[in-house]
Amino acid sequence: MTSILNADLHCHSVVSDGTLTPEALAARAKANGVALWALTDHDEIGGQARAAAAARAQGMHYLTGVEISVTFIGHTVHIVGLGFDAENPALQRGLSQTRGGRGQRAMDMSEGLAKAGIHGAYQGALKFAGNPELISRTHFARFLVESGVCKETNEVFRKYLTEGKPGFVEHRWATLRDAVTWISEAGGVAVIAHPARYKFTANEEFALFSEFKSHGGRGVEVVTGSHTAAEYLTYADTAREFGLAASRGSDFHSPDESHTELGTLPYLPGNLTPVWELLSERIQHSTDPSPEAQASSGF
Ligand code: AMP
Ligand code: MN
Ligand code: MN
Ligand code: MN
């Protein structure tokens, strides 16, 4: 299978911290020429049936998706899962546990913000959460923009929601081993999300990739909205060094906030194994008989 494929295998809907419904995302992906799509909400697969149905209706091929929050040597790392069976009970239980601490965390964040003079943040953030089980820092950021404390969400993260800032709360997410195992045992492929975003030393990053592989992880995002063009090349080398397949995804959240539009990134660099090559059995094929859909799909 070709690496010249408009696959977008990372984005978020109202089921986590995106602002569009799965159906609106599917329409937007299609309009931007996406042929293979995955919705990857944080710690939640409640949008998968809608996304798969919407992909089918739009004539796109679909892979199930999720982005699991993990704590690795004291840092938060995101692991994307693709092509798993969404009915798998161990995966569902694991995700439900991972979501479990978000309510208390949000109340603690709100307390921290109150001490900095920002009141009512929990209720304010909750209003923005399409899924109350998935209240996230993004929803707090939207509330602080709405209430005029900051101009844009980036500024909120910088001033209030990152380590050492008033609304930041230490949190323990899933372990790397558990996240990779849940995905793999449900028939999917685990992928390290946006590796350039983590503030790891070279040794720590080596440990992340080695342990990820030893637990059965098989892919890494190379072309993502969070990487620069230079980082595409760095992580293409890392993928080859560790024998990992490469993934591509925008990490699109919202038309107003995201700087990378769905389906508009460069193709994967050559001589990498695209992650969809490992998942050919798991792709839910579009039944759209139109010649354009078939021709653009690459299958
Ligand atoms: P949480 O899972 O609650 O810790 O929220 C993490 C989410 O916050 C990420 O998935 C991003 O959508 C968002 N985020 C993190 N850092 C930033 C930033 N600097 N600017 C805007 N959004 C961010
Ligand atoms: Mn997010
Ligand atoms: Mn992420
Ligand atoms: Mn994401």
Side-chain angles (χ1 to χ4, degrees):
M1 239 179 271
T2 174
S3 59
I4 308 300
L5 177 70
N6 192 345
D8 196 321
L9 306 179
H10 189 152
C11 67
H12 299 271
S13 76
V14 289
V15 171
S16 63
D17 61 348
T19 61
L20 300 183
T21 61
E23 291 77 14
L25 282 168
R28 199 173 180 101
K30 177 67 181 185
N32 292 340
V34 171
L36 174 64
W37 180 51
L39 171 67
T40 55
D41 279 308
H42 295 285
D43 308 324
E44 170 68 273
I45 54 178
Q48 292 302 306
R50 284 171 65 184
R56 203 175 315 120
Q58 295 286 351
M60 291 184 295
H61 303 293
Y62 190 75
L63 280 166
T64 52
V66 70
E67 181 176 21
I68 305 182
S69 313
V70 158
T71 302
F72 178 74
I73 53 170
H75 296 268
T76 299
V77 164
H78 287 169
I79 301 295
V80 163
L82 296 171
F84 49 80
D85 168 14
E87 302 301 320
N88 182 275
L91 173 66
Q92 290 182 348
R93 251 192 329 272
L95 293 176
S96 162
Q97 270 167 27
T98 308
R99 288 192 298 274
R102 281 185 179 268
Q104 186 60 48
R105 172 190 187 238
M107 287 188 264
D108 295 346
M109 285 170 64
S110 187
E111 227 170 83
L113 290 168
K115 285 183 190 144
I118 296 162
H119 298 279
Y122 176 73
Q123 286 305 327
L126 201 55
K127 266 194 336 201
F128 284 94
N131 173 1
E133 266 193 59
L134 220 293
I135 184 162
S136 84
R137 284 187 292 162
T138 315
H139 303 116
F140 280 85
R142 291 185 186 135
F143 169 66
L144 265 66
V145 170
E146 181 203 51
S147 47
V149 176
C150 290
K151 278 218 185 58
E152 45 152 25
T153 51
N154 246 321
E155 184 190 347
V156 184
F157 275 89
R158 204 172 58 245
K159 293 188 176 159
Y160 292 100
L161 301 180
T162 41
E163 227 171 305
K165 300 297 154 63
F168 185 78
V169 170
E170 281 291 338
H171 193 74
R172 183 84 71 82
W173 302 106
T175 65
L176 181 64
R177 177 199 295 272
D178 281 348
V180 173
T181 305
W182 296 333
I183 295 163
S184 310
E185 293 196 345
V189 166
V191 175
I192 297 177
H194 44 63
R197 281 249 300 264
Y198 313 126
K199 303 284 173 259
F200 285 137
T201 64
N203 282 344
E204 289 170 338
E205 185 179 79
F206 185 86
L208 170 66
F209 276 80
S210 311
E211 289 191 30
F212 172 75
K213 267 223 68 145
S214 77
H215 297 317
R218 299 176 71 196
V220 58
E221 285 184 346
V222 170
V223 175
T224 129
S226 305
H227 285 181
T228 63
E231 287 162 348
Y232 301 159
L233 301 177
T234 306
Y235 288 96
D237 285 346
T238 311
R240 279 189 286 266
E241 186 186 329
F242 283 89
L244 295 170
S247 193
R248 174 182 190 262
S250 57
D251 208 357
F252 181 81
H253 282 70
S254 155
D256 303 325
E257 296 161 13
S258 295
H259 53 93
T260 307
E261 181 55 79
L262 273 167
T264 61
L265 288 165
Y267 291 123
L268 285 177
N271 69 5
L272 291 174
T273 303
V275 73
W276 46 90
E277 203 166 294
L278 307 181
L279 287 161
S280 51
E281 303 288 298
R282 312 290 310 177
I283 294 172
Q284 299 176 47
H285 287 276
S286 144
T287 49
D288 183 344
S290 79
E292 299 98 287
Q294 295 302 325
S296 71
S297 73
F299 299 107

